[in-house]
Amino acid sequence: MTLTAAGPGQIRCRDCTIRLRAVCAHADMLALTELERIKRYRSYTPGQVIASTGEEPSVVGSLVEGVAHISTLLPDGRRQMVGLLLPSDFVGRPGRSRIDYDIVAATPVTICTFRKPDFERLLASNPAIERRLLDMTLDELDAARDWMTLLGRKSARERVASLVLMIARRDAALNGEEPTEGQHVPLRLTRQAIADYLGLTIETVSRQFSALARDALVAHGSQRTLEILDLSGLMTAAGEAV
């Protein structure tokens, strides 16, 4: 893990790529100035642990680039992936004294971090940031419910299509947009990580991606991207009403 202070050459809050969806989305200029002062960037390599179960968190922050996965260790030694962290997601829980899950970088990850006491003080004096954090927590709860439905009821085809749609929506939302045909979706996760997340085998994941491409719903692009060719068809493949 590398730590970089905010300063010359670093991203200013108002120019940040996740600004529209991050915890600071509704912060006023005074709050942004304070966030600018206290933030630090932390970078992680794939496979590096960001946080571990039982730790007392010293920092919180927003994921700026990359993907991380959240998992828990079962009593019999098996590991269960329970969620993904994508750009703009908040890492850590203000007011909590321990971490309940393991968070590991699935790709190169950059997090805009704040010392937990500094952020908690800022949160107490800025209702807009506090409200945004509450909204993000509720969104996370909805995502967890969707994930339960995905694992419990959806077919392999529906799971893979749902993952593509989820990432497409999140990527488009960073610019205040909705997913569209022609959109290039960054799919930076390895096939193994996707298989673990969806509760499938690598072979099944590969077959389903090939089937989506064969049906002209998506096309494989460069640098681990997928192009959406047929949005309504992809939604149908995901088991969603069009």
Side-chain angles (χ1 to χ4, degrees):
M1 182 266 291
T2 58
L3 179 63
T4 307
Q10 296 299 321
I11 303 170
R12 294 179 62 83
C13 289
R14 63 188 181 191
D15 300 324
C16 185
T17 56
I18 63 170
R19 176 78 170 85
L20 295 180
R21 280 189 55 86
V23 70
C24 54
H26 305 307
D28 58 25
M29 289 307 299
L30 186 61
L32 280 181
T33 299
E34 179 61 11
L35 287 170
E36 193 86 58
R37 185 185 69 82
I38 65 176
K39 74 181 182 182
R40 296 290 185 274
Y41 292 104
R42 296 186 178 215
S43 298
Y44 301 84
T45 56
Q48 191 170 6
V49 175
I50 297 172
S52 297
T53 303
E55 283 184 350
E56 183 175 351
S58 59
V59 298
V60 295
S62 296
L63 197 147
V64 178
E65 294 179 345
V67 181
H69 55 72
I70 309 170
S71 65
T72 185
L73 190 64
L74 301 176
D76 62 4
R78 290 176 297 160
R79 183 164 293 280
Q80 175 66 54
M81 189 180 295
V82 296
L84 293 177
L85 290 173
L86 301 173
S88 79
D89 282 336
F90 196 76
V91 182
R93 289 287 182 270
R96 295 284 183 89
S97 59
R98 70 187 300 274
I99 295 172
D100 294 326
Y101 298 100
D102 296 325
I103 304 175
V104 177
T107 70
V109 164
T110 299
I111 302 177
C112 177
T113 66
F114 314 95
R115 288 184 63 254
K116 191 162 167 281
D118 293 339
F119 186 80
E120 288 175 342
R121 282 193 292 270
L122 183 64
L123 198 65
S125 61
N126 284 270
I129 297 179
E130 186 177 37
R131 175 55 189 268
R132 176 59 185 153
L133 185 59
L134 173 61
D135 288 343
M136 293 176 71
T137 302
L138 293 175
D139 288 344
E140 186 178 316
L141 177 60
D142 289 340
R145 290 169 173 164
D146 290 342
W147 187 78
M148 291 172 62
T149 301
L150 181 148
L151 287 187
R153 296 295 179 182
K154 290 193 173 185
S155 66
R157 180 180 176 87
E158 289 172 331
R159 295 183 194 189
V160 172
S162 294
L163 177 67
V164 175
L165 279 173
M166 179 189 73
I167 296 176
R169 286 168 174 146
R170 289 293 306 272
D171 195 57
L174 293 177
N175 296 314
E177 301 171 352
E178 295 291 332
T180 61
E181 291 177 358
Q183 178 182 349
H184 288 264
V185 181
L187 204 65
R188 302 184 183 94
L189 292 168
T190 65
R191 287 287 192 267
Q192 182 63 65
I194 292 172
D196 290 344
Y197 178 65
L198 297 179
L200 302 171
T201 65
I202 295 179
E203 293 77 15
T204 298
V205 168
S206 295
R207 284 197 298 269
Q208 294 305 322
F209 273 121
S210 296
L212 294 176
R214 186 173 58 249
D215 295 340
L217 303 183
V218 301
H220 294 282
S222 60
Q223 297 180 337
R224 289 190 180 178
T225 64
L226 287 178
E227 180 183 0
I228 297 178
L229 301 179
D230 182 350
L231 181 59
S232 62
L234 187 61
M235 291 174 65
T236 299
E240 297 185 9
V242 178

